[in-house]
C-alpha cells in the first residue's frame, strides 16, 4: 500500500436544532469544496445563548482529507 498524507483543518458549524445537525451541516458544506474527506472529529461542543432567541448549537471539528500536492 502506498503512503498517504492527510491535511487537517478546523471548522465550526451551527444549528438551531442540535449538535448532530450542526456537525452534518459542516460536513455537507465542506464536501462541496473539499475532495476525499476522510475523518471528522468533534473537538468541542457548546451552545450560544442570547436572551429571547433560540439556542444555537455549535460544534468545533477537525476534518481531514487526502493531501494532494498544490492543495
Amino acid at each position: 500500500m502506498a503512503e498517504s498524507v492527510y491535511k487537517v483543518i478546523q471548522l465550526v458549524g451551527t444549528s438551531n436544532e442540535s449538535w448532530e445537525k450542526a456537525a452534518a451541516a459542516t460536513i455537507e458544506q465542506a464536501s462541496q469544496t473539499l475532495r476525499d474527506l476522510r475523518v471528522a472529529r468533534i473537538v468541542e461542543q457548546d451552545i450560544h445563548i442570547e436572551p429571547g432567541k433560540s439556542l444555537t448549537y455549535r460544534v468545533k471539528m477537525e476534518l481531514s482529507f487526502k493531501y494532494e500536492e498544490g492543495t
Side-chain angles (χ1 to χ4, degrees), residues 51-63:
K53 295 189 178 184
S54 62
L55 300 175
T56 302
Y57 297 86
R58 301 188 310 186
V59 294
K60 182 187 294 181
M61 68 169 52
E62 291 177 344
L63 188 60

Side-chain angles (χ1 to χ4, degrees), residues 15-47:
S15 168
N16 290 331
E17 296 180 39
S18 68
W19 285 301
E20 291 84 0
K21 289 199 177 195
T26 304
I27 293 167
E28 178 152 341
Q29 181 85 23
S31 70
Q32 292 178 17
T33 56
L34 300 173
R35 294 183 318 169
D36 212 2
L37 297 178
R38 295 298 175 115
V39 176
R41 182 172 78 95
I42 303 299
V43 176
E44 186 177 322
Q45 295 175 298
D46 62 31
I47 299 175

